[in-house]
Amino acid sequence: MAEQAGFERNVGLFMAVMIGIGAMMGPGVFALPSEVAGSVGPLGIIAYLLMGGLTLFTALSYSELGAAIPIAGGGYSFVSRTLPDPVAFLTGWFFWIGNTLACSLYAVIFALTIENYFFSELSVVLVVVATTVVFTASNYRGQAEALQVITVMNIVELIILIGVGVLGVLQVEPANLEPFAPMGLGPLLPTMAFIYISYVGFDLITVAAEEIIEPAKNIPRAILITLGVGVGIYILLLYVMMGAVNYTELAQTGTPFIFIADVLFGTWGRWAGVLATIMASLSAFSVTLGASARVLFALGRDGYVPDVLARLHPTHNTPHIALFVCAGIVALLGASGIVRLLASASSFGYLIAIGVVNYAVIALHQKMPALRRPFKIALYPTVPILGMIACWFFVPLLEVQSLLLGSGLTAVGGALYLIQPSNRPDFSGLPAAIHRLNLLVQAYWRPDMNVLIIGGGNQGSNIADRLLKQDEFRMVFRSSEYQITFIEQDEARCEELEHRYNVPIFQGDGTKQEILEQVEPRKMDVAIAATNSDERNAIVALQARRMGIDRVIAIARDPDYVSLMEDSGITCISAPYATSAMVENYLDRPEVADLFEIESGVASLIDLEVPDGGTVIERKIQDIDIPEQCVVAAIIREDKFVVPRGQTEVCGGDHIVLVGPSDAVQTAHDIFSAQTETELST
């Protein structure tokens, strides 16, 4: 099964639910009930219930979007496919604000628990920093490995939560629930805005979409299961907390769940509460830290922030640089130790961003009606409209301090956006040294290439398999990572592609302009016409070219079509048995790929530069021990093409073009790249 380049799909339904539960069961139970009790008293039960109901609209929107566009970045990625670039960036940045501040909040909850129940003299700042270091190391090695630890913590946490809730119902004193609204109804809406952070765990499921197995099925299921379990546990525990003691007592503690467990069950209850709080805060911290890094990775991958943040670790396939940046900011913000500010400012980011995501559902239906939607919202467009209202209505009700903090972080994001070359045309006017440094960085990091394949039959599938295949050889010699989008007319074939590739799939006739418009051609780096018909491929290629896609490749066997398309600036590949290999070589090495016609689909083509002091310099090709199956197809010397012959001598700085099976080509590459011991010692 071919997979999208970069992440590995190794997260099933259960693990996906654990991502959501790990993020949701944090402050909503273990920290915020004290603040809620002080704000609205027992009416807080209704606040949690109403907010859970309103969040269902957003959960349904996420389910449709996550199943149709299963790519990393969550809500940001959905918006980037449907709305203008500045809106997409701001949405991703608001998600990053929400995730990062929430992560800091979880670290503070853990630190306060350690300080109150274990080491009263221990600094909260020290605990926050140590926690950040440990879980940064865990996420650095991969999401699946981190989830194994998170799953254990979540199971322990859920057992304790449900146990305390079920047993605690028997000890609720009705008198403690009177008056039910001691402060009146006025504080209800601000309190609902304040606790919104408690319900955003399902968003993090879609952030890890490129790591979830069968996302079309598992993402909607995981989202709805997470929300249902979360709302049920919240209402049960809020009822027990408000009914076991007077709300004024609950408002005085910083660790409400532990306090209630101690009141109800004594010493064993207290330590069970401590254990659950530790498990919840750490699992939420780990999940949210990983999500924050992946959102920053997605922003970097799309060119909105410095692309150094879009680098994946060569061994662990994790966004390690983005992870380190997020960890540093989490530790800095967490050092404040202020629960209410962090929770409210986090809600600021989430409310704005998730409101935009709800609107993205409507934009998706309007701009991309042919996009496959394995999960469809009932009562469209009522549900996403209600989701928008349910988010943006609460933003002005947040505390002033959180609005100021959120606005400051938004300004930082705006500055990062404006310094990017693609976002600010006069970037090249910066001092020459800075501009050269920017070019060097861009050359070092391998960019993402958005590839549109029109035709999901054998031809298109073979090309996708080739482009998405990851092995050591390709990771070394590739110039790009590939993000695939399909257009396919046949419904049964669409279903096969959906199951096989887990990428966006548009169902419709790829020769039609209205279908090509839906995939947003301006965001596609290359289009490949790969149907089984030369006639259709010609029409598709010409349409794609006319709609602004700079690089267009068409598969054709008839010489008449080949000349027609080449006259229009379209790259035409006509070798019937080598199509997928030639497409890959053309994309990776466009400057030399058109020099050769490869006669076998197992061939690979690469070029390399012979280093000064190389062991092959001044040696004849016939005297170099090149594998039998590999040939030197060309030498490019000082921008001139040299036909290689047995008597041709190799010079330093030569670009050698090798053709052959991958293993043989790699062996030959090592031979031509080798340097003398003298050169190595210097």
Side-chain angles (χ1 to χ4, degrees), residues 301-644:
R301 182 172 68 179
D302 290 349
Y304 294 132
V305 297
D307 54 5
V308 65
L309 299 169
R311 187 184 182 190
L312 288 176
H313 190 276
T315 302
H316 304 302
N317 282 336
T318 53
H320 58 301
I321 295 179
L323 177 65
F324 294 148
V325 171
C326 292
I329 296 173
V330 164
L332 182 65
L333 294 173
S336 69
I338 306 173
V339 170
R340 190 173 186 91
L341 174 63
L342 293 173
S344 183
S346 178
S347 292
F348 166 84
Y350 283 133
L351 284 167
I352 296 177
I354 292 177
V356 179
V357 173
N358 278 283
Y359 177 72
V361 177
I362 299 173
L364 193 75
H365 278 254
Q366 293 176 342
K367 295 182 65 176
M368 304 179 182
L371 179 66
R372 297 275 299 179
R373 294 178 179 80
F375 181 94
K376 297 181 180 179
I377 294 177
L379 301 177
Y380 171 85
T382 304
V383 168
I385 290 174
L386 291 175
M388 276 189 289
I389 295 172
C391 291
W392 292 338
F393 174 80
F394 290 103
V395 173
L397 302 177
L398 293 168
E399 296 180 340
V400 175
Q401 296 92 327
S402 64
L403 293 175
L404 292 174
L405 176 58
S407 299
L409 291 173
T410 303
V412 172
L416 289 174
Y417 178 82
L418 290 175
I419 68 172
Q420 297 308 298
S422 58
N423 303 328
R424 187 174 177 181
D426 59 350
F427 183 79
S428 58
L430 290 177
I434 298 178
H435 185 57
R436 285 197 300 270
L437 178 62
N438 174 66
L439 294 177
L440 179 63
V441 171
Q442 290 186 7
Y444 182 72
W445 304 125
R446 192 162 54 221
D448 270 11
M449 181 179 289
N450 292 315
V451 178
L452 173 64
I453 299 178
I454 302 97
N458 292 335
Q459 198 84 267
S461 296
N462 289 338
I463 293 171
D465 288 339
R466 188 87 179 191
L467 295 183
L468 297 179
K469 184 175 178 60
Q470 295 185 70
D471 53 35
E472 184 178 354
F473 181 82
R474 285 175 171 80
M475 296 305 290
V476 170
F477 296 113
R478 273 189 169 165
S479 58
S480 299
E481 297 286 358
Y482 299 110
Q483 300 288 320
I484 303 293
T485 298
F486 272 107
I487 294 178
E488 168 58 41
Q489 192 167 8
D490 182 73
E491 183 174 2
R493 187 60 184 165
C494 283
E495 292 178 357
E496 294 178 18
L497 296 172
E498 190 174 272
H499 176 72
R500 182 173 182 177
Y501 295 106
N502 300 315
V503 298
I505 299 168
F506 291 78
Q507 184 176 348
D509 186 351
T511 65
K512 303 298 184 183
Q513 179 176 339
E514 58 267 24
I515 296 296
L516 290 172
E517 286 176 344
Q518 292 181 37
V519 303
E520 294 192 286
R522 65 188 181 85
K523 294 186 178 180
M524 293 296 162
D525 299 298
V526 61
I528 303 172
T531 72
N532 294 324
S533 166
D534 285 1
E535 294 88 344
R536 292 177 62 81
N537 286 343
I539 296 172
V540 167
L542 292 171
Q543 284 274 37
R545 185 73 174 175
R546 186 172 65 85
M547 296 181 68
I549 301 178
D550 292 333
R551 300 177 66 184
V552 180
I553 302 173
I555 311 301
R557 294 174 176 80
D558 189 328
D560 292 335
Y561 286 105
V562 172
S563 59
L564 169 66
M565 288 185 278
E566 288 182 344
D567 289 344
S568 301
I570 295 166
T571 300
C572 193
I573 295 178
S574 58
Y577 304 108
T579 301
S580 60
M582 294 182 71
V583 168
E584 178 188 32
N585 289 325
Y586 174 77
L587 294 179
D588 287 334
R589 303 290 178 187
E591 69 275 12
V592 294
D594 57 352
L595 299 177
F596 311 101
E597 181 175 357
I598 303 172
E599 295 297 335
S600 169
V602 298
S604 288
L605 177 151
I606 66 167
D607 73 297
L608 62 96
E609 182 177 356
V610 177
D612 293 330
T615 58
V616 297
I617 290 178
E618 297 183 355
R619 293 178 61 187
K620 298 178 181 179
I621 291 178
Q622 65 186 22
D623 297 330
I624 301 173
D625 188 19
I626 303 171
E628 272 188 14
Q629 294 177 303
C630 179
V631 297
V632 178
I635 297 177
I636 301 174
R637 181 176 297 162
E638 296 179 349
D639 296 329
K640 295 181 179 179
F641 182 84
V642 176
V643 177

